[in-house]
Amino acid sequence: MPELATVRTVRELRAAVAGMRLTGDRIGLIPTMGALHEAHMALVAEARRYADRVVVTIFVNPTQFGPDEDFSSYPRREARDIETLHAHGVDLLFAPGLKEMYPDGFETIVNVPEISRGLCGDHRPGHFAGVATIVTKLLLQALPDVALFGEKDYQQLQLIRRLAHDLDVPVEIIGLPTVRETDGLAVSSRNAHLSAAGRAAAPQMFAALNMVADRLRDGEVADTACAAGHAMLAAAGFAPIEYLEVRAAETLAPADQAPGGTPLRVLAAAWLGETRLIDNIPIH
Ligand code: PAF
């Protein structure tokens, strides 16, 4: 197999994508921050169902990290990531530097205020404006036919759907169900930071979400079901619990403000030691 083609400037990216389009190929884009794992590779596999060529981006985006968050320690393993992408037959990697994405004088911010409110938005001020800005740039730079994101970051996924729709970006946004370990823990690069005891307790988040979903299906009101979910997380050692809430699946409006029959989602974020875990499931 020839080496994975890697480009670092928007100009090169556009030229490479234009070359792919000459043969009529459909383009699938997978934006990432690197430190690639099996959930990213599930996105690559899914992309092949929608596109002839798969383009992956790696950029650790500083504007989506708060001042006390892990931007400087976020894992950067480009050589290993390139091997992984190559082994999975990815067609093109776009790995720009900081100045390429945020040149001197950059000041435009994309804000999606309603979907950014609450849940992770309350605990990570500015995070979603950073995500919205960089994803808008990546979509406009590559102009793919489809772009794929994991449902684990569900608020992020809904925000990206909203911005693509509102800004008429000609792309289909695909959400992929969360990839899980055999014990239910959502696959995440942050799982590696869990202690042995934390790793043993971590699947209780998925269990608590399922318990809340079961109770709702049995007709319990959201507040009571979520209180039981909170208690289960606390008993497993999660502290602090940032949120465990039921929301409308599309708009993320609080469940009690959603008309009857609206598809719902239960979402949680909580800490085990120094590690912040998030997860969510649909309530069918
Ligand atoms: O989910 C991520 O890895 C990032 O938030 C994204 C979408 C690549 C934007 O930086």
Side-chain angles (χ1 to χ4, degrees):
M1 229 195 296
E3 294 219 329
L4 171 66
T6 301
V7 293
R8 308 228 175 241
T9 66
V10 176
R11 197 190 164 96
E12 289 170 317
L13 171 68
R14 290 205 166 119
V17 170
M20 294 173 183
R21 291 226 181 266
L22 282 180
T23 47
D25 285 349
R26 280 172 60 83
I27 315 290
L29 185 79
I30 304 172
T32 83
M33 296 206 298
L36 302 175
H37 49 63
E38 65 176 290
H40 295 111
M41 292 312 112
L43 291 171
V44 170
E46 184 71 3
R48 298 211 182 289
R49 292 172 16 116
Y50 298 89
D52 308 295
R53 303 293 193 103
V54 179
V55 180
V56 171
T57 75
I58 296 182
F59 179 67
V60 184
N61 173 36
T63 65
Q64 69 186 76
F65 289 81
D68 300 328
E69 294 185 353
D70 54 349
F71 172 67
S72 52
S73 62
Y74 197 86
R76 289 161 175 84
R77 303 182 192 131
E78 194 186 90
R80 210 173 87 181
D81 288 346
I82 287 177
E83 277 175 29
T84 306
L85 295 173
H86 186 51
H88 284 78
V90 165
D91 297 279
L92 180 69
L93 169 65
F94 176 47
L98 192 60
K99 286 275 182 223
E100 185 66 15
M101 297 307 267
Y102 296 111
D104 292 341
F106 184 95
E107 62 168 330
T108 302
I109 303 296
V110 179
N111 192 16
V112 192
E114 224 26 75
I115 288 188
S116 302
R117 192 163 297 139
L119 305 172
C120 290
D122 279 356
H123 298 272
R124 304 189 67 188
H127 169 69
F128 285 120
V131 170
T133 303
I134 200 70
V135 171
T136 303
K137 280 172 68 72
L138 290 165
L139 292 177
L140 295 177
Q141 289 163 351
L143 286 177
D145 297 283
V146 294
L148 297 94
F149 301 85
E151 284 186 351
K152 185 171 88 64
D153 295 294
Y154 192 77
Q155 192 172 10
Q156 166 175 286
L157 173 63
Q158 293 310 98
L159 166 130
I160 292 166
R161 287 192 205 280
R162 184 83 252 164
L163 75 83
H165 180 268
D166 290 352
L167 299 177
D168 302 313
V169 184
V171 63
E172 186 185 351
I173 304 296
I174 311 282
L176 192 70
T178 303
V179 177
R180 300 186 179 280
E181 306 287 357
T182 47
D183 59 10
L185 176 63
V187 169
S188 162
S189 48
R190 295 200 165 98
N191 294 349
H193 303 310
L194 290 165
S195 65
R199 177 63 189 81
Q204 288 302 305
M205 179 172 273
F206 184 51
L209 294 174
N210 277 295
M211 184 192 72
V212 172
D214 285 345
R215 285 177 172 238
L216 289 165
R217 278 190 288 264
D218 289 345
E220 198 163 280
V221 294
D223 280 356
T224 320
C226 288
H230 254 261
M232 186 165 168
L233 287 179
F238 284 87
I241 299 164
E242 290 185 354
Y243 62 82
L244 190 159
E245 290 185 39
V246 182
R247 296 279 181 128
E250 189 186 336
T251 62
L252 296 182
D256 56 7
Q257 292 169 22
T262 303
L264 299 174
R265 198 109 194 161
V266 51
L267 310 98
W271 292 75
L272 275 174
E274 300 294 302
T275 309
R276 181 175 184 271
L277 298 181
I278 62 171
D279 202 350
N280 66 87
I281 58 169
I283 301 165
H284 292 299

